[in-house]
C-alpha cells in the first residue's frame, strides 16, 4: 500500500557499510545510525573481506533503533530472521512471520484493484466523501477482520491476548502492527482507492 509504504520508509532506513581492516566475517561491525547518531552493530556477512560493502536495514520505533535485515541476500536473510523470531513463542513475533508469509499487502491490493471502479471520482480523503463509499469500506474492513481472526485461530490466541501484547510491542513488532492497523482505517482505504483510480487514468492517457 502506498500510504503504508510511506510509513515504512519513515520507520526503516537502509545503511551501507564497508568492512574495515582487521574485521572478519561473522564479527560485529559497529556503526553510527544516520538518523539519531546512536551506535548499532551488525555482523559482517560470510564471504566478505576488507573493503567490501554491504547493506543493513534499520527499523525505528518509539525512539528505538534495531538492525532487522542484512545482505548478502536481503530477502532470504529477512525471511530467516522473521522465522527465527517466530520460534520464540512470542505472539507478536508470530504475527510478523504470519504477515510476511501471507503477503497481507498483496491481498489488500487485490481488493483495491477489483473494486476501485466502484469509487469513480474519488480524489482522496481531502476531497468530498460520497456516502456510497461506506458500504464498500465495510467489506474492506470485514476482509481485514477475517484475516486477523484467521491468524488468532492459527496460533490459538484471543483478541484480548493480542491487544495486551500490542501494548507492550516495540521495535519491528510494533512497526508491523502499526502498519497492519493503518491498512484497515478508512483514510487508508480512500487513499488507496484514489491512487488506483489515478494510476488507471494515467494508463488510459498513455495509450491514447
Amino acid at each position: 500500500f502506498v500510504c503504508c509504504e510511506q510509513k515504512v520508509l519513515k520507520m526503516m532506513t537502509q545503511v551501507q557499510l564497508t568492512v574495515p581492516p582487521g574485521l572478519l566475517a561473522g564479527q560485529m561491525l559497529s556503526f553510527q545510525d544516520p538518523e539519531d547518531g546512536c551506535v548499532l552493530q551488525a555482523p559482517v556477512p560470510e564471504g566478505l573481506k576488507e573493503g567490501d560493502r554491504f547493506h543493513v536495514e534499520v527499523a525505528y520505533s518509539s525512539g528505538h533503533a534495531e538492525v532487522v535485515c542484512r545482505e548478502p541476500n536481503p530477502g532470504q536473510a529477512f525471511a530467516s530472521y522473521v522465522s527465527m523470531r517466530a520460534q520464540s513463542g512470542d505472539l507478536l513475533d508470530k504475527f510478523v512471520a504470519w504477515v510476511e508469509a501471507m503477503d497481507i499487502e498483496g491481498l489488500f491490493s487485490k481488493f483495491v484493484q477489483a473494486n476501485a471502479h466502484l469509487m469513480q471520482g474519488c480524489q482522496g480523503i481531502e476531497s468530498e466523501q460520497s456516502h456510497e463509499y461506506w458500504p464498500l469500506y465495510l467489506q474492506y474492513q470485514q476482509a481485514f477482520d477475517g484475516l486477523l481472526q484467521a491468524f488468532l485461530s492459527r496460533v490459538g490466541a484471543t483478541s484480548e491476548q493480542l491487544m495486551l501484547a500490542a501494548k507492550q510491542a516495540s521495535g519491528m513488532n510494533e512497526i508491523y502492527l502499526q502498519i497492519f492497523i493503518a491498512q484497515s482505517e478508512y483514510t487508508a482505504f480512500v487513499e488507496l482507492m484514489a491512487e488506483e483510480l489515478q494510476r488507471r487514468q494515467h494508463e488510459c492517457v498513455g495509450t491514447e
Side-chain angles (χ1 to χ4, degrees):
F1 292 114
V2 175
C3 59
C4 295
E5 285 175 353
Q6 292 173 345
K7 292 187 178 184
V8 176
L9 289 174
K10 293 179 181 178
M11 295 178 178
M12 298 191 72
T13 298
Q14 186 178 80
V15 180
Q16 178 176 279
L17 303 175
T18 301
V19 181
L23 209 59
L24 304 176
Q27 294 182 324
M28 300 302 291
L29 169 60
S30 298
F31 65 97
Q32 191 173 45
D33 174 29
E35 294 292 326
D36 58 17
C38 68
V39 177
L40 300 174
Q41 288 189 319
V44 176
E46 291 295 330
L48 298 189
K49 60 183 184 305
E50 177 184 336
D52 287 342
R53 297 177 180 179
F54 65 102
H55 294 82
V56 295
E57 294 284 351
V58 180
Y60 303 93
S61 178
S62 302
H64 173 72
E66 176 183 9
V67 177
V68 298
C69 180
R70 55 188 69 86
E71 288 186 331
N73 187 333
Q76 182 178 356
F78 186 63
S80 298
Y81 175 79
V82 168
S83 178
M84 177 189 68
R85 287 182 59 137
Q87 294 175 10
S88 70
D90 181 86
L91 182 57
L92 288 185
D93 283 344
K94 293 180 179 179
F95 176 78
V96 171
W98 172 78
V99 169
E100 284 295 315
M102 289 291 294
D103 186 19
I104 300 300
E105 181 178 338
L107 293 176
F108 281 97
S109 292
K110 289 180 180 178
F111 182 95
V112 170
Q113 292 167 7
N115 295 281
H117 67 282
L118 299 175
M119 291 178 60
Q120 290 293 341
C122 176
Q123 298 180 0
I125 197 64
E126 298 299 329
S127 63
E128 183 177 353
Q129 301 297 299
S130 170
H131 67 278
E132 296 179 354
Y133 298 168
W134 191 253
L136 187 58
Y137 169 65
L138 292 180
Q139 293 181 36
Y140 179 87
Q141 181 69 41
Q142 186 177 20
F144 168 86
D145 291 340
L147 286 170
L148 188 56
Q149 287 303 316
F151 163 72
L152 292 173
S153 297
R154 179 176 178 176
V155 299
T158 64
S159 56
E160 290 76 15
Q161 289 174 320
L162 182 61
M163 290 178 62
L164 179 61
K167 292 180 181 179
Q168 304 170 349
S170 62
M172 184 176 70
N173 289 349
E174 183 180 11
I175 292 172
Y176 269 75
L177 190 62
Q178 288 176 350
I179 293 172
F180 185 72
I181 293 173
Q183 290 175 167
S184 72
E185 296 174 351
Y186 179 76
T187 298
F189 165 76
V190 171
E191 291 296 335
L192 290 169
M193 288 296 188
E195 288 161 4
E196 176 63 17
L197 290 170
Q198 186 178 41
R199 183 188 66 79
R200 295 181 184 183
Q201 185 178 16
H202 287 165
E203 286 184 352
C204 290
V205 172
T207 57
E208 292 179 354

